[in-house]
Structures are given as C-alpha cells and as structure tokens.
Amino acid sequence: MRDQNLQDIVIVGGGTAGWMTAAMLSQVLDGQMGRIRLIESDQIGTVGVGEATIPTIQAFNKKLGIDEAEFMRATNATFKLGIEFVNWGRMGDAYLHPFGPYGKDINGVAFHHYWRRSLELGMDTPIGAYSLANVAAKRDRFRHPSSESQSILSTYAYAYHFDASQYASYLRQYAERRGVNRTEGKIVDVTLRPDDGFIESVQLDGGRKVRGDLFIDCSGFRGLLIEEALETGYEDWSHWLPCDRAVAVPSENVVDPSPYTRATAGDAGWQWRIPLQHRMGNGHVYCSSHLSDDEATATALAHLEGDAIAEPRVLRFTTGQRKQMWNRNCIAIGLSGGFLEPLESTSIWLIQAAIALLLQRFPDRNFDAADIEDYNRGMRRRFEEVRDFLILHYKATQRSDTDFWKDCANMSIPDSLQRRIEMFGKSGHVIFHPAELFIETNWLAIYLGQHILPETCDPRVHCAGDDFIRQRLPQMQAVVAAAADEMPSHASAIEQFCRAKAPHA
Amino acid sequence: MPEPLQSIVIVGGDECAPAVAACIANSLRGTSAKITLLDDMSGHSGVASTLPQSTDFYKLLGFNERSLVTGTGATFKMGAEHSGWLRNNRRFIQSFGEHGTPIRLLPFHQYVLKHQLADDAKNFDDYSLASAAILKGRFAYPSDDPNSLLSTIRYGLQVDTQRFADAMLKYAVAADVKHIGSSAISASVQADSGFIAAVTLADGTAIEGDFYIDCSGERALLIGDALSVGYQNWSAFLPCDRRVRISINDVQDLSPTTRIVTKRDGWSRRMQLIDRADFEFFYNGAICSDEDAAQQLTQDVGTSASLPEHRQIRAGRRESFWRGNCVAIGRSAGDIESLEVSAMSRAHGAVIRLMSLWPHINCDPVIASEYNRLTLLDYDHARDFVSLFYTLSDRDDSDFWKHCQSLQTSATLQYRLSLFRSRGRLSWDADEIFSKDNWVSALLGLNCLPRACDPLVDVADPELVSQFMDEVRQAVRAAVDDMPRHDAFLKDLHGPAPR
Ligand SMILES: Cc1cc2nc3c(=O)[nH]c(=O)nc-3n(C[C@H](O)[C@H](O)[C@H](O)COP(=O)(O)OP(=O)(O)OC[C@H]3O[C@@H](n4cnc5c(N)ncnc54)[C@H](O)[C@@H]3O)c2cc1C
C-alpha cells in the first residue's frame, strides 16, 4: 500500500488557514509521508482579520507543542473569557456568553432550572452571576484555570485575542522548521487531468508548474482551486444571515485590554471590539442592502475609542458554504470552504475542525469516495451547527427600530433551530449533541441573554424545595464573586505572563 | 406556568416495569407526585444481561450495585464470545473493554489491520484486558487510575429477571410507589385530547392518572391497543421471530461472559447466573418448529433441564414511543432479538431520558417529539448492530442461513460498512450505545477487512509499533493473571455464607 501514499501535498495560500494546515500536517506527518509545499502570493496578501478565538484553539496549539507564553508574546495576544453582546435582544441590553457553565447541577438537574424557579420566588439575580468566567470577565480579571476538579477555578476555559498576521508568521516559522517548503508566487493557471478532472498542477506567474497529489485550497474567499478550477458550487445562506460586508479598522488602545470580545448590534449589523496588547481590533459587519459602505465606515470610525492606525478596509462576503469541501483531490480549508460571520469567533475553529477531520480521513492516491463523502458530511454538520447558533442571535430579538431587525425577527429559520428554540421555551431543556461544539451553557447564554425564558422549569427542582433554592443560590453567587475578586487583573496577568517585547511589532 | 404531573400510572407486565417505577419514584422524591404500579409480578422469569451503561441507572437510583448483585444472584459480564457466524467457524470476543491505545492519534485497530492485511495474523482480542479476562474466567472492578490497564475494562451484569424485578419493586415501594398486584386489562382514551383517561383492572376498578407509562410488554395495552400507534416491522432486516429458553442447575462454568453459538436454524446463547445457567435459542418459526428448536437447544445441554419456554419476538419498533400522556418502555416500544443489544439496558436508558425530559401536565408535544427522536436512534442503532452479524455472515448451509443471505441492510448500516471497507474507519456518533471498540471487534471478528488501512500508520516507525504492540499484549497477559477468578470474586462478594 505504501506506494499509493501521497508524495506531494500542495497547500495554496498562506493566511491563517494555510499556515495552520501546514503546521499541523508537518507535525503529524513528521517527514514520513511526502513533501509539503505552501504557495502564497505577496502581491495578493491575506484577509488580515480573524483575531478572536474560542477555547478549542488551545488543543490545536498543544498538539503542535507550542509554548503558550512564547506564542502570546509573538502574537500580542490577550486572554479571552467570553463575548459580550450589547443591544441584541433589545436596545440597552448587555449579556456575556462566557466560556464556562452557570452554577452546578443539583441532584442531576441542571442549575438553570433552579435559577428559573428562583425568578418565581422573587429573586432577580441574573444568571451570569453564577458563572465565574462571566463575573471575572466583567471585572477585567484573569488567571489560568485550575486542573483541580473540586476547585471553582476549574469551572471555566479561556481563549485568545491575537494578531492574525503574527499568528500566521509564527506558524510559518514552525512549519518551515519542520520541512514545509514555502514558495512565493502568484498562481495564474490550474491544469486538470483530462481523464478524471483531478488537479494535476498549478502554474505560477513566470511559467513554473507545481504538481501535486493532494491540493489544499486555502486561497481565501475566491476559492482559486475549489471554485475557479473545479466549479464545485456554493450554497448561499444569506437569507438567514443577511450581512454581506465588513469594514475593519484597527485603533490605538486607550484603556487596558479587557478579557472578552464585544459585539455591539447596530442598525443593520454589528460591530466588533477585540482588545490586543498593542492595539484594538475594530470592525463593522453589515448588510449592504440596508447600509452603504460609507455609512458603515462612518459608524465604525465614530465608535473608535482611540485613533485609527490604518485606513478602514471594506470586505465583501457571501455567507454559506462550498457544496463540497472536498472535491476530487482538492480540499477547501478556511475562507475558500465557506464563510460564517465572526459573531462567535468560529472561523478559526472551523479551520481547526477541517484539519482534524482531514487527518481522520487522510487519503492516499486512490481517493476513496467513501472517505470523501464522510469528510463532506462531517464538515457540513459543523458548518450547519455554527450557522444555526448564529441565526439564533438574529432571530431572538425584540428590536423593531429598523427594518433590518424587523426582518430578522420575522424570518423563517431552519427546522433544526426551530426545534431547539421551542424545546427550550417550553421546558427549559437544552437540545445539543455531545459531539457538538456548542453545548448546554453556550445555548443557554444566548437564549437567556436574548429573552427566551422557559415557561417552566424541570419539575424535579421541586424535590429540593423552595427554601433550599432561597438559601443555596445566594451562597453560590457569593462563592463565584469571591473567586473572581481573588484573581489578578487581566492587565497584570498579561504583564506577568506574556507581555510582548516590542508592543508595536 | 403549567402544573406538575400529580399522578403517574405504570402499567406493568414487562420485566422492566418495577425498575421504571423505582427510577421515577426516586427522581421525584420530595414532590407531591403519586406513583402507582400495576403489576401482578408474574411472568418476569428469565435472564437478561445489561450493558455497562446501566451503571448510570443504578447510580441515578442510588442503588447499591453490590447488594443488587448479591441479592439477585447476578454475575458479572465483560462481553460475549461468538462462534459460528462464518463458515470457517472462527471465534471472536466482543468485550466491553478497550483494545490497546491510540498511537500517534490513530486508533489502535489500524495497526492491527495493517498486520492483518499483510497476512500477519495479529488478533485484536489479544490487546484487550476484558477479552483476556473472559477467556481466563477473571473479573475485577475497573480502576479510576488511567495508568492502570484495569481502567480499560467495563462490565455489565447477567441477571435473573424475576429476582431483579423483585428487588426493584422493593426499592420502588420503599420510595412510596403504590403497588397494585393485578394487571390492567384495558384503557380508555379522552375523545378530545387523545390522552389516556383511565386503565381498568380485571375486577373492574378504574385507575386514573395524568401520565401513563406503558410497560405492558408485547400486549402494548396503551400505546398499541388504546392509542393505535403503528409498529414498524423489521423482519426484512432481522430473521428471528421465536425464542426458546431452558434452565439447568449448573454452576460449573462461571466465566464473566455470554456465549453465543450459531446453529443450523438460528443461534443460541448461554448465560450463567450464580446458581443456574440459562440457554436460549433464537430462530425463525416459519423455518423451524418449536419442538425442533427445543430439541436443537437441549441437545447441547443434556438432561435435568427445565421445561422449554417459548416466546414470540416481534422484530421492530413503534413509529413513536411517546404519544399524548403515554410513554412506552420495554417490549411495548420495540423488540429486537437479544444479540448483545440488551433490552434491559435500553429500558434503563429510556427512563433516564424520560426523567431528563420530564413533562408537566400538558405533556407538551415538543418534548415528546424530542424523546421520540432520541429513542428512535437507540432502536435503529441496536437493529443495525444485530443486522451487522447477518450481513457479514457467509453461512448458507440451511434454509435459515439461506434466508439470512436474502435479508436487507439498512442505509445507515450500509454507510458505516462502506466507510469501514474503504480504510477501516468507523462512522460513529458520540451518543451511540455501542462503543467504537464494540463495532470494531464485531467487524474484525466477522472478517470484514477493509481494502487498506489508514495511510497514516506508515508515519510511525514499524519496528517501534511492533514493539509497542507486543508490550501491550504482554501487559494484558500479565494483568489478567493478577485479576481474581470470577467465581472467587463472586464468592467474596456474597460473603462467607452465600445467600
Ligand atoms: C470581517 C472578518 C472578521 C473576521 N473575524 C474573525 C474572528 O474574529 N475570529 C475568527 O476565528 N475568524 C475571523 N474571521 C475569519 C478569518 O479571518 C479567516 O478564517 C482566516 O483569516 C483564514 O483566512 P484564509 O487563510 O482562508 O484566507 P486569506 O487570509 O484570504 O489567505 C489567502 C491566501 O491565499 C493566497 N492566494 C490567493 N490567491 C492566490 C494566487 N492566485 N496565487 C497564490 N496565492 C494566492 C494569498 O496570498 C493568501 O496567502 C473573520 C473574517 C472576516 C472577513
């Protein structure tokens, strides 16, 4: 079988997707299976955004054996305990989607049912007060979680905000050290094999041809191979997620970076605020049929806290996914595979998931149809899950101050999401699958943060009795508050652990 | 806010009914809900085995598993031994344990496959402590220490269903379940809501409740008779529709396993309890008569057997399991020949699921539909798992086996098979009842070899891999010798004067 093994793997594109793929393949293949080549064009450049992550990134870095402090210094990274959503359910709202659960199960019944009952008993503490990640984030505090499962400090996870270009260069060094061959050049043509339509080679500006057995398309939105060459087709989801543009503009930091991302809903979209060590990442995601580029840019600039440090840049996209992520001998990873707006910082996770699944369905030159089908099925499932989670943010709104929000509140949504919302509204039960990215807390954060309050709680909360609830909940809240207060500030945690050497690198 | 359920009626008959009552009572302890169990406690005699998942159920009940074992004469089970599914009469073990550990993130079986494909017959069973324990008649509780090989084993139980039901009843009654020792004979339905209104006992007494559990067994008094929920027939996938059972007073062979052997007209299994052994034979009534079946079974067993007891198997499941204010659990919900797909554990899982979705008095259909969606997957997975044996068997030496050759394979199983046949990869979802290792040991045991193994196995140095595999095998051999004998373990558990 060995003679069927891949000999040449060609990665097209050197953005976050390309270098993450190159780094992981170089680590796992360990020089034992073919050559890995990455082609990127200085002329074209990368999308250059993509700065907020979710906790799963840690598993990726860990697999690569990356030293956390070194990586954080190299990418001007900060810690992230969640995402704050402002003005989503109603104008004036603010809630946090924390990276850690609310309270603790009692007698096998999830905490939020007791919390739901507490409202009927006249208690009014918001659910966030029972999540350490939530409370610590809002108090600008951070420390590394504990691995001691009995400790309250084990009840949260964290992610990073980092400079995407610096992350890509960091991974580039990593990959090049492990033998990945980087080629600079612009691809101008793609040759398909006449018999089966597989990609045979790509041709660089200047005439050089690079052949390969497997091509990984990390060329960004355009999908140089998967679409321009293979015409795979794209499934458009903009009827559910109508935003189609973004304007990005970084600014000077004027306050210490907070340990969470903020997403503030506007008239026809939302603005992100991602605090890094050396600057603030800002941007405005909007729907072009409701807002012009100029209006959107003006809004983005008006909300900057410090001076802009680059010209605003407008990006266009269509939310959706490639009909097949893996077509013949080409796999689309990153923006070439599909796009879901960065509301929950999931794009880098989707890159990570694609790489992991590729390693579980790794081909040889036979390219078995069953493996390809299973890969495509797996990636579709992941994209659809994220899609549904994002739609929830738009659907669960009571805003009616603009046509955009009225349309969102009235849109029809996928059945899978409809079922989840109804179930929660009726019973407080959160539907999720154990293999999914978003589990109980994640769905709860959005439901409760955007006013989907269950009609009732699990009847089993009555086993404990109301007095128990009156006593226990304030105690739990106090424990969380005390633990948060004992943490160092986020700024000092960074100072101690991972202050970047040249802040303006 | 809708009102909580106040009165729950469990219509018994099926052997799972007392366990269902016990579990509901325990979960609602402290509330004002009244629970009534209608069961004459007859007809629960038999044997059953459980899957490792049932441990969760005992935990939920606050049940001490040790006293359950000693109180009911149960034995431990670490898996099953199969023989005769293939013409070459190959034997294999389907253990509840893990096999080896992943090497460079790749599942261990890929490295076994690599050798098998190169005609170097490495045996998957050699790398599982649970499999070794079955062969050597050993048993120990799993360890929490991930560095110990004992952390790779899991176990279920083999139980006497009557005694198990009695123990559950005792527990239920202690948890304030009202037990009425007669069975329901009919049920009435409210015209407007389609909810069950009441059930009637043989003496004419009507029992009312606001929520009903149909554990009436194959009679399906509520879900079938009263509510007319359809039944999906699976005889196109699964061949057996009859089962015969006999018991012998044999305590010779106390290995922690169920033995499954195919025969001319079906397959049989032997389950050992502390004081007797039960033999069951599964067959197709159109091909083999009851007398013939009993004879094929007693042949192996010898004399002093009990009278053969026959029952029907209606292969299939309900179209839905929860309708209105009624949930079906047990054989009223579905029936699958017991080829290692424990009906008892399925019932345990069903009550746990029901409790996690416990409704209010309005029994919101959204909740019912979620329950139905999940339960349906359970049944379909179990069907596919049994069907795998018939799909992969190459026997065609009798009318029964010829019939098996003509059975269908579901689309979901076909998908799984085609992925495995490509490169030995498993399509597997985190919420399935059977573990990945269960699937892989069945696939390999039934000689389903892929075209090639995962290409990434070539990344690791083959010398080092071989060395590592040898080490695992030797560690298994050494560890199994440190485990107590299963019979001695049980004797210890029972104390100096057993029962
Ligand atoms: C507005 C916005 C905000 C985002 N925010 C987040 C976030 O907060 N969190 C998150 O996880 N993700 C976020 N993302 C997504 C994230 O930016 C991307 O997933 C990530 O950057 C990966 O991009 P990529 O590598 O696929 O493509 P790109 O960065 O576009 O890289 C494309 C590469 O292909 C090369 N290339 C293209 N054409 C050719 C050619 N002809 N010849 C040679 N080379 C070529 C280019 O040189 C470049 O190296 C955001 C995206 C957008 C649009």
Side-chain angles (χ1 to χ4, degrees):
Chain A
M1 290 300 145
R2 246 175 189 281
D3 51 338
Q4 285 303 312
N5 284 345
L6 299 180
Q7 283 168 7
D8 285 290
I9 300 171
V10 179
I11 299 169
V12 172
T16 310
W19 285 114
M20 279 177 76
T21 306
M24 188 55 86
L25 288 186
S26 69
Q27 207 283 336
V28 172
L29 303 186
D30 204 13
Q32 299 301 306
M33 189 164 304
R35 291 169 290 269
I36 306 172
R37 178 188 302 278
L38 184 145
I39 304 171
E40 65 179 322
S41 161
D42 291 343
Q43 202 184 329
I44 293 176
T46 69
V47 62
V49 281
E51 309 182 320
T53 60
I54 54 177
T56 44
I57 185 86
Q58 285 184 38
F60 186 83
N61 286 351
K62 195 167 164 203
K63 180 75 195 49
L64 294 181
I66 283 177
D67 177 77
E68 186 182 37
E70 178 195 280
F71 138 78
M72 289 186 74
R73 277 195 294 272
T75 61
N76 273 285
T78 61
F79 295 103
K80 169 173 175 185
L81 290 167
I83 306 172
E84 185 181 40
F85 291 94
V86 178
N87 295 341
W88 284 84
R90 296 175 192 148
M91 280 307 270
D93 275 0
Y95 72 91
L96 205 112
H97 170 190
F99 296 150
Y102 301 107
K104 223 167 127 175
D105 287 7
I106 301 172
N107 295 332
V109 178
F111 173 80
H112 68 274
H113 292 287
Y114 296 89
W115 174 82
R116 175 68 187 89
R117 176 70 189 156
S118 79
L119 299 183
E120 263 146 40
L121 301 177
M123 301 163 75
D124 61 358
T125 308
I127 189 123
Y130 301 97
S131 158
L132 182 51
N134 190 320
V135 175
K138 287 305 294 170
R139 295 183 190 186
D140 284 329
R141 299 195 175 254
F142 183 81
R143 60 156 280 180
H144 281 88
S146 156
S147 57
E148 182 56 60
S149 68
Q150 293 305 311
S151 163
I152 179 140
L153 295 172
S154 70
T155 63
Y156 60 94
Y158 67 95
Y160 314 101
H161 304 116
F162 56 56
D163 182 313
S165 320
Q166 290 172 342
Y167 187 54
S169 352
Y170 184 84
L171 293 180
R172 173 179 161 186
Q173 282 172 29
Y174 178 100
E176 286 187 319
R177 273 202 305 273
R178 281 166 183 74
V180 171
N181 180 321
R182 171 181 181 269
T183 303
E184 200 286 317
K186 184 172 162 189
I187 294 171
V188 292
D189 197 19
V190 179
T191 310
L192 305 185
R193 296 201 303 233
D195 47 339
D196 56 11
F198 277 45
I199 298 174
E200 186 172 81
S201 63
V202 292
Q203 190 184 327
L204 301 182
D205 204 6
R208 181 173 161 206
K209 278 195 168 192
V210 178
R211 65 158 302 282
D213 304 311
L214 172 68
F215 287 85
I216 304 182
D217 184 349
C218 299
S219 65
F221 284 126
R222 57 196 300 198
L224 186 70
L225 309 182
I226 195 82
E227 198 57 54
E228 290 178 11
L230 297 180
E231 298 176 351
T232 303
Y234 194 78
E235 204 172 297
D236 183 338
W237 289 339
S238 52
H239 50 295
W240 286 313
L241 294 166
C243 290
D244 57 356
R245 289 197 193 163
V247 51
V249 51
S251 66
E252 305 261 8
N253 270 340
V254 291
V255 289
D256 282 341
S258 39
Y260 56 92
T261 308
R262 183 180 296 147
T264 307
D267 290 345
W270 59 278
Q271 295 180 65
W272 77 77
R273 177 187 186 273
I274 301 176
L276 310 184
Q277 289 189 35
H278 60 318
R279 62 170 165 80
M280 182 74 77
N282 310 279
H284 186 182
V285 174
Y286 57 99
C287 175
S288 64
S289 57
H290 289 264
L291 214 59
S292 72
D293 291 350
D294 288 346
E295 288 169 311
T297 307
T299 308
L301 291 173
H303 283 87
L304 295 185
E305 294 161 44
D307 291 342
I309 50 182
E311 281 300 303
R313 215 154 48 90
V314 173
L315 300 151
R316 289 153 195 247
F317 53 81
T318 307
T319 294
Q321 70 153 53
R322 208 60 67 192
K323 284 188 175 143
Q324 295 170 67
M325 300 287 183
W326 184 340
N327 185 0
R328 284 168 264 194
N329 61 340
C330 172
I331 303 177
I333 297 182
L335 298 172
S336 60
F339 185 72
L340 289 158
E341 60 188 79
L343 189 53
E344 287 282 355
S345 321
T346 43
S347 294
I348 291 174
W349 176 73
L350 284 164
I351 294 171
Q352 194 185 331
I355 297 169
L357 199 54
L358 165 59
L359 289 171
Q360 285 167 28
R361 300 291 174 258
F362 202 77
D364 65 9
R365 282 186 278 164
N366 287 317
F367 288 96
D368 265 300
D371 294 326
I372 296 176
E373 184 187 353
D374 199 58
Y375 178 92
N376 285 327
R377 204 190 236 222
M379 283 315 293
R380 169 170 292 277
R381 207 166 141 172
R382 288 164 177 77
F383 264 79
E384 287 180 350
E385 184 204 344
V386 174
R387 176 198 72 192
D388 284 4
F389 194 62
L390 297 186
I391 296 173
L392 173 63
H393 295 66
Y394 286 96
K395 176 71 183 173
T397 186
Q398 297 173 5
R399 285 183 60 167
S400 57
D401 51 314
T402 63
D403 288 344
F404 175 83
W405 289 108
K406 280 186 220 158
D407 290 352
C408 289
N410 292 327
M411 74 176 150
S412 66
I413 56 177
D415 288 347
S416 44
L417 177 60
Q418 185 70 41
R419 194 161 51 78
R420 293 193 206 244
I421 296 178
E422 253 181 70
M423 182 70 170
F424 185 73
K426 291 278 171 60
S427 68
H429 186 80
V430 179
I431 296 181
F432 68 95
H433 187 279
E436 286 177 341
L437 172 65
F438 297 114
I439 57 171
E440 189 165 72
T441 10
N442 307 102
W443 289 97
L444 271 178
I446 316 307
Y447 291 145
L448 296 175
Q450 297 190 200
H451 311 289
I452 302 181
L453 191 66
E455 280 170 29
T456 168
C457 59
D458 189 313
R460 292 174 296 165
V461 306
H462 301 299
C463 298
D466 291 342
D467 285 342
F468 171 85
I469 294 174
R470 285 195 189 92
Q471 256 177 14
R472 176 59 80 84
L473 267 58
Q475 284 169 2
M476 290 172 98
Q477 188 194 340
V479 169
V480 168
D485 279 339
E486 273 176 31
M487 292 184 184
S489 73
H490 181 225
S492 66
I494 291 173
E495 195 58 50
Q496 297 248 312
F497 185 69
C498 57
R499 164 59 67 201
K501 286 198 187 79
H504 290 279
Chain B
M1 191 179 226
E3 290 296 310
L5 292 170
Q6 286 305 336
S7 127
I8 295 104
V9 177
I10 298 148
V11 175
D14 196 285
E15 61 205 27
C16 72
V20 170
C23 184
I24 296 177
N26 190 56
S27 300
L28 299 182
R29 224 185 262 266
T31 68
S32 54
K34 299 269 172 294
I35 299 156
T36 309
L37 169 66
L38 313 176
D39 199 319
D40 63 12
M41 295 302 285
S42 73
H44 294 331
S45 71
V47 275
S49 64
T50 61
L51 297 170
Q53 287 90 329
S54 280
T55 314
D56 297 342
F57 179 78
Y58 311 135
K59 259 198 212 128
L60 191 74
L61 257 81
F63 220 103
N64 180 324
E65 189 190 78
R66 179 196 162 128
S67 59
L68 188 67
V69 172
T70 54
T72 64
T75 58
F76 295 101
K77 161 173 181 174
M78 302 187 81
E81 287 170 270
H82 287 271
S83 58
W85 289 98
L86 300 176
R87 276 184 227 162
N88 65 12
N89 202 25
R90 164 200 203 128
R91 291 165 163 273
F92 68 94
I93 294 175
Q94 169 131 56
S95 74
F96 294 146
E98 293 162 26
H99 297 68
T101 52
I103 304 175
R104 286 178 159 265
L105 298 189
L106 280 192
F108 187 80
H109 78 265
Q110 288 290 353
Y111 298 90
V112 175
L113 277 176
K114 180 181 176 180
H115 285 95
Q116 288 187 349
L117 289 164
D119 274 337
D120 166 9
K122 287 214 190 306
N123 188 344
F124 194 47
D125 293 341
D126 289 347
Y127 305 94
S128 153
L129 181 56
S131 302
I134 286 174
L135 288 174
K136 291 209 155 181
R138 308 292 176 121
F139 180 80
Y141 283 127
S143 157
D144 291 336
D145 174 5
N147 294 317
S148 160
L149 258 186
L150 286 174
S151 69
T152 66
I153 59 176
R154 301 179 75 203
Y155 66 93
L157 300 178
Q158 304 188 105
V159 302
D160 174 289
T161 42
Q162 180 72 55
R163 283 183 242 153
F164 191 82
D166 290 341
M168 288 294 161
L169 179 66
K170 214 164 125 194
Y171 185 91
V173 170
D176 279 344
V177 169
K178 180 174 173 198
H179 174 221
I180 297 178
S182 60
S183 34
I185 54 159
S186 67
S188 58
V189 179
Q190 289 164 16
D192 49 343
S193 63
F195 276 29
I196 301 282
V199 292
T200 311
L201 304 181
D203 65 4
T205 320
I207 309 278
E208 289 182 7
D210 37 38
F211 196 63
Y212 295 83
I213 317 284
D214 183 351
C215 297
S216 65
E218 64 182 352
R219 281 169 67 210
L221 195 68
L222 310 188
I223 198 87
D225 287 0
L227 298 175
S228 309
V229 174
Y231 197 83
Q232 203 178 86
N233 182 312
W234 282 345
S235 55
F237 303 105
L238 306 174
C240 297
D241 59 7
R242 304 284 297 163
R243 185 223 62 185
V244 55
R245 178 176 71 94
I246 56 174
S247 300
I248 60 164
N249 296 321
D250 175 20
V251 284
Q252 294 306 308
D253 180 5
L254 262 175
S255 49
T257 176
T258 300
R259 288 221 176 96
I260 292 169
V261 184
T262 63
K263 298 183 168 291
R264 192 192 67 209
D265 290 328
W267 58 273
S268 75
R269 66 169 179 173
R270 174 186 191 280
M271 298 222 273
Q272 180 68 58
L273 303 179
I274 195 91
D275 54 1
R276 69 163 206 268
D278 274 25
F279 290 79
E280 292 175 303
F281 180 51
F282 295 78
Y283 56 102
N284 182 304
I287 297 172
C288 174
S289 70
D290 282 358
E291 297 75 57
D292 210 4
Q295 216 220 321
Q296 286 191 44
L297 186 58
T298 33
Q299 214 169 42
D300 300 351
V301 172
T303 49
S304 74
S306 67
L307 281 179
E309 181 217 284
H310 295 268
R311 91 159 172 85
Q312 192 197 350
I313 298 167
R314 280 182 75 202
R317 63 156 167 80
R318 286 285 148 205
E319 302 286 357
S320 58
F321 311 95
W322 180 337
R323 160 98 43 107
N325 64 343
C326 172
V327 176
I329 297 178
R331 281 211 285 146
S332 57
D335 203 2
I336 296 173
E337 54 187 271
S338 323
L339 192 64
E340 295 310 282
V341 291
S342 171
M344 190 174 251
S345 288
R346 214 173 317 117
H348 293 165
V351 209
I352 293 179
R353 176 173 306 133
L354 174 61
M355 293 325 296
S356 75
L357 294 170
W358 193 246
H360 285 77
I361 203 151
N362 57 341
C363 296
D364 202 296
V366 178
I367 302 181
S369 87
E370 178 65 2
Y371 178 90
N372 285 328
R373 188 179 69 87
L374 295 169
T375 308
L376 189 138
L377 288 175
D378 261 8
Y379 275 94
D380 291 2
H381 284 151
R383 174 202 61 205
D384 284 0
F385 195 73
V386 176
S387 166
L388 178 74
F389 286 78
Y390 294 107
T391 301
L392 295 179
S393 166
D394 60 359
R395 282 188 69 165
D396 60 357
D397 52 321
S398 69
D399 288 348
F400 176 81
W401 292 103
K402 284 199 183 89
H403 170 64
C404 293
Q405 292 296 333
S406 71
L407 292 171
Q408 290 173 21
T409 305
S410 72
T412 42
L413 180 57
Q414 259 166 21
Y415 184 86
R416 225 189 273 257
L417 278 169
S418 72
L419 188 67
F420 191 83
R421 282 178 170 141
S422 158
R423 298 196 154 272
R425 286 156 179 166
L426 200 66
S427 151
W428 187 83
D429 240 340
D431 58 353
E432 292 190 25
I433 317 177
F434 304 104
S435 68
K436 288 186 190 173
D437 280 44
N438 286 160
W439 279 98
V440 173
S441 46
L443 285 157
L444 295 185
L446 294 164
N447 204 26
C448 181
L449 277 187
R451 282 188 286 283
C453 61
D454 194 311
L456 294 180
V457 301
D458 288 337
V459 172
D461 179 341
E463 291 276 308
L464 290 180
V465 170
S466 282
Q467 217 178 323
F468 176 74
M469 290 175 75
D470 283 345
E471 279 165 25
V472 172
R473 209 178 44 185
Q474 273 151 23
V476 163
R477 281 196 198 149
V480 75
D481 288 332
D482 287 342
M483 289 167 75
R485 294 185 52 87
H486 183 225
D487 49 7
F489 190 95
L490 283 167
K491 214 172 269 162
D492 271 4
L493 208 65
H494 282 272
R499 285 179 303 116

